[in-house]
Amino acid sequence: MSEVPLTPASAWALATGGPFPDPDSLAGDAHFMALALQEARKGVGLSSPNPPVGCVLVKAGRVLGSGVHTRAGDPHGEVMALMDAESRGEDPRGATAYVTLEPCCHQGRTGPCTLALIQAGITRVVVGVQDPNPRVDGGGLAILRAQGLQVEEGVLGEACARLHAPFFKLIRTGLPWVSLKLALGSDGALGAPGQTTWVTPPEVQSLAHALRRASEAILVGRKTIAVDDPQLTDRWPAPTAPHRTFARVVLDPRGCLPPSARVWAPVAGQPAYRAVNGDPAPLRGVEDLRLPPEGSGCSLRHLLHELAARGASRLLVEGGGTLAEAFLAQGLVDEYHRFQADQPAGGTPVEDSRTQDWQIQARAAWEHGTWEVRRPG
C-alpha cells in the first residue's frame, strides 16, 4: 500500500471511500467513468438517503455535460447532466452516459432516469456498478437494453462500489455506514484519562474534518464531552448546501452531562441529540433518543436504527476508547480511520486488534504520522 501526502484533496478522497482513479492516468471508458466518480463525490454528505450518483455525458470524446445527485427529491445525476448539457447548448443525441450507479427505473419523488436517458437520445450507457435496491436491481439495465441502447457494466466497478458502499448497506440492512475515527499515539493510546490530549497537530485535525463533512451524523461518548467540552461541529472549509443536516449525537445513558455543555448549544443545520436509556430531565433544544439498555449503557444497534430513521446514512464515531471498543466488539464498524502519531500519547492503549486483519485501503502521511483506512475483509 503506497502512501500519499496528506492534503485537502487526499483527505476528502479518504473520507469518501478513496483513493479513486486519476482520470488523467486513464483512457477510454475508464477515463470518463473516473470523471463521473469525481462528480459523484460532490454529493457525499448531501444526498442521503439517496446515493450521490455521478454522471458524465460524452460524444466524440468530448464532455457535453455532467451532474450529481445532491438532495433527495431533486433531479438525479443523469438528469442533472442532461440539464448541464442543455445549458451549454449541447445536443445529447447519440452520446454516451457514464454513470457510477445503475440508472433508476421506477417512479419515486423523481421520474425514472432510464426514461430520461432514452428520451434524450442517449445511445450508449456505461455503468460502474449495479443498484441493489429491489426497485432497480438490474431492471434499469434491462429496460435500456430493451430500448436498443448499448449497455456496458463494471467499468471501474470496484471504485464505484466503494463510493456507494454506504448506500448499499442502508438498502440491505436499514443501518447507516459506520466510520470509526481514532487518533492514537505511537503507544496505541489516546492520552491520559481525564485530560485533553492533542495527539495530532491542528493542521491534521482540520483535514480530519473531511470525515465530518462526508457524514450525516457524529457520535461521541459522555466522557469525551466531560473532558474536552467540544461543539462537534462540521468545520470543513468548503461551503455546503443549505439543506445539509449534520447531527451531533452524545451517548449519555443517564443524562449526566450539564445543560452548559457546548455541544447542546444550537447550531444551524447541526441538531444535537442525546442517546439515553432512562427518563432524564429534558434539555432545551435537544432531542432525546430513548434506547433499550445494554449493559451499563444503551443499545448501539438500536441507536443506529434511530439515526437511519432520521436520515443519517453515514455515521462517524469519533470520541472515546470505550465507545470505539464497544462498536468493534459488536461488529458494527464498516471502516476504521486510524490516525497514528510517531510520539506516545500516554494512557491505556485502545483495543483495536480486531482490525489487524482488515484490508488496508489507503494511507496518507504527514510529517509526524499517518492516516490509515481499513475495511473488513
Side-chain angles (χ1 to χ4, degrees):
M1 172 61 62
S2 61
E3 287 185 354
V4 297
L6 183 54
T7 64
S10 64
W12 184 243
L14 266 59
T16 54
F20 294 103
D22 178 6
D24 292 338
S25 68
L26 301 170
D29 287 345
H31 169 77
F32 294 114
M33 185 60 75
L35 291 178
L37 276 165
Q38 285 186 344
E39 280 298 308
R41 287 160 55 208
K42 298 175 184 177
V44 174
L46 297 172
S47 63
S48 180
N50 294 344
V53 177
C55 177
V56 172
L57 304 178
V58 178
K59 184 160 60 175
R62 190 168 60 86
V63 174
L64 307 183
S66 57
V68 57
H69 182 54
T70 58
R71 184 178 186 177
D74 283 359
H76 292 183
E78 298 92 324
V79 175
M80 293 295 288
L82 290 168
M83 293 169 60
D84 184 43
E86 181 181 4
S87 73
R88 300 184 187 188
E90 299 284 4
D91 183 359
R93 287 177 294 181
T96 296
Y98 293 86
V99 192
T100 59
L101 185 68
E102 177 185 4
C104 67
C105 55
H106 60 279
Q107 177 70 47
R109 295 170 68 178
T110 61
C113 291
T114 49
L115 180 60
L117 293 172
I118 293 166
Q119 291 180 337
I122 300 297
T123 56
R124 182 170 180 256
V125 179
V126 179
V127 173
V129 66
Q130 188 170 312
D131 187 348
N133 185 339
R135 301 180 73 183
V136 186
D137 197 19
L141 302 179
I143 288 173
L144 294 173
R145 289 186 172 114
Q147 292 297 313
L149 280 73
Q150 182 182 351
V151 176
E152 305 287 344
E153 300 179 58
V155 174
L156 297 189
E158 189 271 338
C160 291
R162 277 192 277 111
L163 176 79
H164 292 304
F167 171 69
F168 293 170
K169 182 187 178 185
L170 186 68
I171 284 292
R172 290 165 173 156
T173 70
L175 298 174
W177 181 264
V178 177
S179 296
L180 171 64
K181 171 186 172 285
L182 288 174
L184 307 174
S186 58
D187 51 2
L190 294 164
Q195 67 182 48
T196 299
T197 302
W198 300 115
V199 177
T200 56
E203 61 271 20
V204 175
Q205 295 169 30
S206 177
L207 291 174
H209 271 263
L211 287 166
R212 296 189 183 185
R213 177 56 60 88
S215 305
E216 287 95 27
I218 182 174
L219 172 68
V220 302
R222 176 185 62 80
K223 291 181 181 178
T224 295
I225 301 298
V227 173
D228 298 335
D229 196 23
Q231 282 187 299
L232 298 182
T233 50
D234 167 17
R235 298 192 297 278
W236 185 246
T240 189
H243 73 269
R244 170 172 155 79
T245 299
F246 179 65
R248 299 171 293 150
V249 188
V250 180
L251 194 62
D252 185 17
R254 296 178 179 80
C256 297
L257 291 170
S260 59
R262 295 173 70 218
V263 71
W264 307 136
V267 178
Q270 302 185 47
Y273 296 96
R274 182 175 61 167
V276 300
N277 65 13
D279 193 22
L283 294 171
R284 173 179 286 186
V286 177
E287 181 180 348
D288 281 342
L289 307 179
R290 302 186 186 281
L291 307 170
E294 187 175 82
S296 60
C298 299
S299 168
L300 298 180
R301 188 170 292 275
H302 279 81
L303 174 59
L304 295 182
H305 280 290
E306 289 290 338
L307 294 176
R310 286 162 175 78
S313 63
R314 295 174 181 249
L315 169 67
L316 175 62
V317 178
E318 189 173 284
T322 301
L323 185 60
E325 290 172 0
F327 266 86
L328 287 170
Q330 295 183 37
L332 298 176
V333 176
D334 298 293
E335 188 172 75
Y336 179 25
H337 294 262
R338 192 179 197 273
F339 290 74
Q340 177 84 59
D342 62 8
Q343 296 293 320
T348 304
V350 174
E351 177 52 62
D352 64 352
S353 61
R354 291 178 176 84
T355 71
Q356 294 305 307
D357 294 332
W358 289 13
Q359 180 181 0
I360 299 176
Q361 178 177 312
R363 186 185 290 121
W366 70 92
E367 185 178 2
H368 296 293
T370 58
W371 172 356
E372 187 176 86
V373 185
R374 302 177 185 176
R375 286 190 181 184

